[in-house]
């Protein structure tokens, strides 16, 4: 497996805040300017003149958090998809927790999913948040989306358990 490292440069901006820039594999420079007053700007630099800003998009706290969540979720799910391709017979699936599930308001450990199915719940998507590696004391809420890894039979078993369709 090839390890790819991305360098993020931090530049203090006296009287303004701090700027974090990264250069993408395509040679584009993208940055975030974090102002002292809490404002954040997403910036895209000119490929021919890295000191020239082509676009600056101000982000509210909610927008910055949503963007981070979207990028984090897609990265994690992409990594899981890559894992699926490397391991024959191992699948990744997103399973919606129905509002009527007997596990709404209960802990992950109560499902005994791994013991009963050999499939693992590796993350939960809730609203715009990714909760990686939830422990046994993690409490489910209606409309959570469970990310599980296992065989087809194991994933079918987790789906049945969460829906309350087991003995």
């Amino acid at each position: 497996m090839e390890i790819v490292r991305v360098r993020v440069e931090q530049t203090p901006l006296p009287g303004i805040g701090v700027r974090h820039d990264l250069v993408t594999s395509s040679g584009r420079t993208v940055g975030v300017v974090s102002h002292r007053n809490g404002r954040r700007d997403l910036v895209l630099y000119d490929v021919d003149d890295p000191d020239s800003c082509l676009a600056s998009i101000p982000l509210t706290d909610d927008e910055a958090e949503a963007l981070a969540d979207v990028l984090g979720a897609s990265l994690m799910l992409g990594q899981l998809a890559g894992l699926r391709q490397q391991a024959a017979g191992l699948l990744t699936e997103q399973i919606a927790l129905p509002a009527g599930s007997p596990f709404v308001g209960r802990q992950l450990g109560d499902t005994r999913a791994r013991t009963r199915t050999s499939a693992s719940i590796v993350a939960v998507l809730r609203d715009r948040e990714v909760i990686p590696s939830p422990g046994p004391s993690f409490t489910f809420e209606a409309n959570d989306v469970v990310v599980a890894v296992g065989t087809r039979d194991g994933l079918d078993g987790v789906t049945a358990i969460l829906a309350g369709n087991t003995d």
Side-chain angles (χ1 to χ4, degrees):
M1 175 184 288
E2 179 182 334
I3 296 176
V4 178
R5 301 215 188 272
V6 176
R7 191 175 89 211
V8 176
E9 293 183 6
Q10 179 177 324
T11 306
L13 302 172
I16 297 171
V18 66
R19 184 178 85 195
H20 293 91
D21 295 328
L22 69 94
V23 178
T24 68
S25 61
S26 66
R28 300 300 306 261
T29 303
V30 179
V32 175
V33 176
S34 300
H35 296 260
R36 291 173 52 194
N37 65 5
R39 188 178 108 202
R40 288 179 205 84
D41 296 322
L42 182 64
V43 292
L44 178 64
Y45 296 97
D46 187 336
V47 74
D48 296 321
D49 180 4
D51 292 326
S52 177
C53 178
L54 290 178
S56 176
I57 304 167
L59 299 173
T60 66
D61 287 345
D62 288 341
E63 292 164 342
E65 183 178 335
L67 181 59
D69 288 345
V70 167
L71 292 172
S74 65
L75 177 63
M76 183 187 73
L77 294 175
Q79 290 170 340
L80 290 172
L83 174 64
R84 177 178 59 205
Q85 292 172 352
Q86 293 175 10
L90 191 62
L91 305 171
T92 305
E93 192 162 279
Q94 294 183 37
I95 304 164
L97 186 70
S101 169
F103 292 100
V104 170
R106 291 181 55 197
Q107 295 184 343
L108 169 61
D110 293 343
T111 67
R112 298 183 52 243
R114 188 175 324 148
T115 301
R116 296 165 66 185
T117 68
S118 295
S120 295
I121 295 174
V122 297
V124 174
L125 310 176
R126 177 177 290 159
D127 297 320
R128 296 184 308 192
E129 182 181 0
V130 177
I131 302 156
S133 304
S137 63
F138 174 83
T139 302
F140 288 114
E141 292 182 7
N143 303 313
D144 280 349
V145 176
V146 172
V147 180
V149 176
T151 63
R152 175 78 272 145
D153 287 344
L155 294 173
D156 289 346
V158 171
T159 300
I161 289 168
L162 294 177
N165 297 332
T166 62
D167 297 332

